[in-house]
Structures are given as C-alpha cells and as structure tokens.
Amino acid sequence: MAKPVLLTVDDDREVLRAIERDLRRKYGSEYRVLRAGSGQEALEIVRELKIRNNAVALFLIDQRMPGMSGVEFLAQAITLFPDAKRVLLTAYADTEAAIAAINETGINHYLLKPWDPPEENLYPVLDELLEDWEAAFPPQFEGIRVLGNRWSPASHNIKDFLARNHVPYQWLDIETAASDAEVRSLVELLDEDETRNLPIVILPNGVRLKQPSLADLAEHAGLRTRATEAFYDLAIVGGGPAGLAAAVYGASEGLRTVMIEREAPGGQAGMSSRIENYLGFPSGLTGADLARRAVVQARRFGVEILSGEATEVRVDGPYRFLKLANGAELSCHALLVATGVQWRKLDAPGVERLTGAGIYYGAAMTEAMSTKDEDVYVVGGANSAGQAAMHFSRYARRVVILVRGSSLAASMSQYLINQLKSTPNIQIEYNTSVVEAHGEDHLEAISIHCSETNEVHKVPANSLFIMIGAAPNTDWLANIVERDERGFIYSGPQLTRDGKRPNGWKLDRDPGLLETNVPGIFVVGDVRHGSVKRVASGVGEGSVAISFVHQYLSKVV
Ligand SMILES: Cc1cc2nc3c(=O)[nH]c(=O)nc-3n(C[C@H](O)[C@H](O)[C@H](O)COP(=O)(O)OP(=O)(O)OC[C@H]3O[C@@H](n4cnc5c(N)ncnc54)[C@H](O)[C@@H]3O)c2cc1C
C-alpha cells in the first residue's frame, strides 16, 4: 500500500528542511513526507496526489507566506482532501490569525515556531491527530483507474481486458460525475483534452494513458509483452484450457515453454460464468477462477506467458519462427496451435455499429453490474447463452433469451435448461431472432422477428449479449497448415488420404495424432478439426500433445 502523505509547506528553506527532517525521523516509516516552498507549488502537488488517488493524512503549513497564506492554501487543498488533518505553523505575532482560522478552515491545531524540542512540542500533537485520521480513514483503492463512458466500446475493451487478465482496476463512469464526488473531482483535475478523449487510464504512478491500445495497456499494466529468450523448446499460441494444459505439462516435463495469448489466459472458458461439468469441482467454478488457477500453476512450472498476438509462422529446417503483432519474433522446435474459436458475428443492421455500446459478444461479465434493474437480452441456445442468462439474472430485472429454434433440448445441457426454467426473472422466447439494432450512440431498442407469426416487434433494450456459435480464426496459418473449409485445422489420421501422407511430408512416419501436416507443428482444442468442444477435452488434448512433442523433439535434437 502506498504510504499516506504528510505535506509540509514553508517559504523559509531552512525551516522547511528542519520540519521535513523532524517529520521523517518520527513518521518516515509509515508516511511519505513531501515538502513545498510555496502555496502554489503545494497545490500542484495536492492535485497530482488526488489524480493518483493517494491519501493525504496531514497538512503542516506555514501561515505567513508571500503570494498565498497558509489559510488560503488550506481553503483550496481541503476541497480535494477534506479528511486530512490541518496544522498551521505560526510565529508568535500571527496567533490571532491562526485562532481565527480555526473556525474558517477547520484548523485542527496551530503550532508556534520554533517547535524544539519536537518530542515535547511537535510529536505529541501530531501523534494524536494522525491516530484520529487513521481510525476514520477508509483504505484507498490503489490500482489502475479507468475513467470512461459506459457506452463507449473502447472503455468496454479496456475493462474487459483488465478484468480477464486479473489486473485490479477501478471503473469511474464520467456519466456519474454529477452524483459521485470522486468522479467529479477527478474530472475537474484532468485537462480538457483528456476528458474529451476518453477513456483515460490512470496508473498508480500517475502516468495517464489516453485511449491506449490493448498492447500499450498490457505493457503498462505489468503484463509481459516481449519474450525473454530468442529460442524455446515449445511455443504455444493461445491460452485457453488446451494451451494452458499443454503449457503446464510441457514446462513440468522440463521443456522451455512460452505461451502467447492475445486477450487473456482462459480463452472462452475464462468467459464462462459457471462451469459445472468439469471433473473435480462438484459445485462448479467460474471460468475466471479456472483460468487464474491454471495461470498460477503454469507460472510455477516456469512457463513464460506473453500478452500478444501471433500473426505469422515461418518454417526453416528444424526451427519454427513465430512473428507477433508487435513485430517481435521468436523461434522454437515445437509449435502448438491452441487458438480455439471466436464468436460468430450477428449480421443485422445496426449491430456492428453498436458493438461495445450495449451490444456484446459473449457474456461480457464486466458489464453485468451495469445491467442492474434493467432488461437484458441474450441471443443463442447453447450452454454459453444459458450460463450467461443465469449470471445476468442475479443483476438484471429480467433476462430474455432469444432462441432461433423451437426448443433448447438439442443445444443445451438439461441441467441448465432446468435452472433457467426455475429462475423467475428469466424468460425464453423460441422461434425468434434479432433483425435490427437501434440507437444513436448506444443500444436503445432491438427489432425481434418471430418465425411462427412472421411479425417483427421493436422493444426497448440497453443490453444485448450475442452467443450464436463460433468459428476458428486461422487465416494467419493458411499457407502453412491444412485446414477444412471453415478454417479448422486437420491433424493426425485426418491428413492421410487414400493411404497417402500429406503433400510435402518427408518423414518415414505418419503425422502424430495431434500433429498437423508440418512436422513439429501440433494442434489442440476447439481449433482442431473434429474436436469435442469442451473444457475437459481441450485440457486432455493439451496434455496428451506433450508426449507427441517429446517424441518429435527426440528426433530433432
Ligand atoms: C460462455 C461459455 C461457456 C462455456 N461453458 C462450458 C462448460 O460449462 N463446460 C465445458 O466443458 N465447456 C464450456 N464451454 C466451451 C469451452 O470453454 C471451450 O471448449 C474451451 O474453452 C476450448 O478451449 P481452447 O483452449 O481450445 O480454446 P479457447 O478457449 O477458445 O482459447 C483460445 C485462446 O487463443 C487465443 N488466441 C486466438 N488466436 C490467437 C493468436 N493469433 N495469438 C495469440 N492468441 C490467440 C484466444 O484469445 C483464446 O484465449 C463454454 C464456452 C463459452 C464461450
């Protein structure tokens, strides 16, 4: 925790140095002692402390200073730190002014200069005031703060990225400035240019990032974006369950392993509000929890986790080179593709324009709190939609699930169907699809088509969560590995056709079970052609693949 601040101000440099020395000696281990030579300079410090969300415990201020008196300084400073204790330093001749100020600016005490010996004249007074301050002061939030607008896609992306990477942050919605004093004072302290170009991310060290890219944010939020080594035994692209399992098994069996993830470890599973069918967790666990545990486990075995996107693969003899979106390149002997699938887009007028501003793909759990007492629409009939509906039903007034078919039985697990039916604020509308989204700068209404009656109804809506199936995103691998017409990657026996091995395959063995048509490039999880799309099967494939990696490496190195 950052130490609370004791700020002392005096225009006499000798006095300032002496008081600073005395404060540090007694309070330096628990408080940060700052000093300023004028009221103006001190106000600058106070504003910066407020932007950083640091706490000020005490102002110890000289009364008679040119330009701005101690009382004048305090009148401004306490609007930003109303709970800070205030002590005025006065010469004997100024005691009248100090006494008057006790009423005007709520001075807690005035001290006569000189205060020697401090053990008698300074510390007892300050001890008492600081004890009072500590007892009353709530702990400050110390992490990253994001100031933005609920309906801005850029704000949503930042919140989602931080939450899914388990980076603690505080969300401040500019729309609440009228009712929330904290938001208001921050808005007043920032430059006009900054508040006009939201979102702004404020780091604990005071650095302000205006509309940062996710790569920029990753760098500043302490996520690793560059590989520490040029070469690895095993590089894994994708940090979903399959990639994480491969990372844990690979590193635990002694392979130098790097895992590259462009959004957040956990993948689709990380977005699940409750996984109830994963072995060993009888009451279920959230995807975020599963991801967090897996990341800790992977790190413990020495896996290097990079935040970044793989954009290109090059094969050169026994080496596989991987290029990342930030321009960096790394090489490895074995490459494992575990890039899963991404949400399919809903093709209807208005949807693309309002994505991130009321329309979201997936359960977008960071938005759950904002749906409090509202109606939420969920599109989709698979388990993901069912889980999301259950999750939102805890916040929203009503959750409406729009299902294209006439039943959920074929697409959703029975336990979830039972849960949905017994939750009073969840409503399921069959034979329905969203045909248009309306709204200026955020979602205000949707048009729903009913295939039974062939009628279209326009209903007010602020939140629409779309979960209508997913597709792999493997175009960046198009010239390297063989894929089916939808982009899923072939592996093992799928590559041998009419008894013939894949084109260009030169080894005197068939491709291994989870190996692609390029020796040493493996594929696991949802992105693999014919895979079972479940957390457990991804984890199973990721761990099994490591034995094939070992077999491959034994012949290469
Ligand atoms: C909301 C929801 C709920 C679900 N609930 C359950 C459940 O209860 N039980 C169950 O068994 N299954 C469930 N599933 C399915 C399960 O989550 C998936 O089958 C599983 O996550 C697949 O794992 P994966 O590792 O293959 O891929 P993914 O989980 O899709 O992970 C792939 C990762 O690769 C990353 N990536 C992609 N391209 C790149 C690139 N070029 N560079 C770097 N990184 C990249 C992605 O960002 C992603 O994080 C659910 C899915 C969803 C969406």
Side-chain angles (χ1 to χ4, degrees), residues 164 237-244 260-278 308-311 338-343 362-363 383-385 387-388 415 467 473 476 524-527 532-539:
R164 290 178 52 207
V237 183
L244 281 165
I260 299 118
E261 168 54 54
R262 68 175 176 189
E263 289 173 15
Q268 296 168 67
M271 290 187 266
S272 167
S273 47
R274 186 146 290 269
I275 300 168
E276 305 217 32
N277 53 4
Y278 190 57
E309 178 172 11
T311 52
T339 49
V341 289
Q342 284 78 51
W343 293 110
N383 279 4
S384 47
Q387 287 176 4
Y415 79 89
M467 279 158 265
N473 188 358
W476 61 286
V524 291
D526 281 13
V527 69
V532 176
K533 310 233 169 343
R534 287 281 182 272
V535 175
S537 45
V539 168

Side-chain angles (χ1 to χ4, degrees), residues 279-302:
L279 190 70
F281 294 88
S283 49
L285 82 171
T286 65
D289 198 15
L290 181 68
R292 190 183 47 75
R293 288 161 183 258
V295 167
V296 171
Q297 204 171 5
R299 289 223 167 94
R300 194 163 65 81
F301 284 121

Side-chain angles (χ1 to χ4, degrees), residues 12 22 38 69 83-84 95 116 136 183 204 220 243 248 254 309 317 323 356 358 376 411 435 475 483-484 513-514 534:
D12 182 327
D22 287 346
S38 71
S69 73
D83 301 315
T95 46
D116 278 330
V183 177
H220 283 89
V248 167
E309 178 172 11
K323 198 158 184 188
V376 165
S411 54
V435 290
D475 286 352
R483 307 177 300 154
D484 68 14
L513 193 59
L514 299 168
R534 287 281 182 272

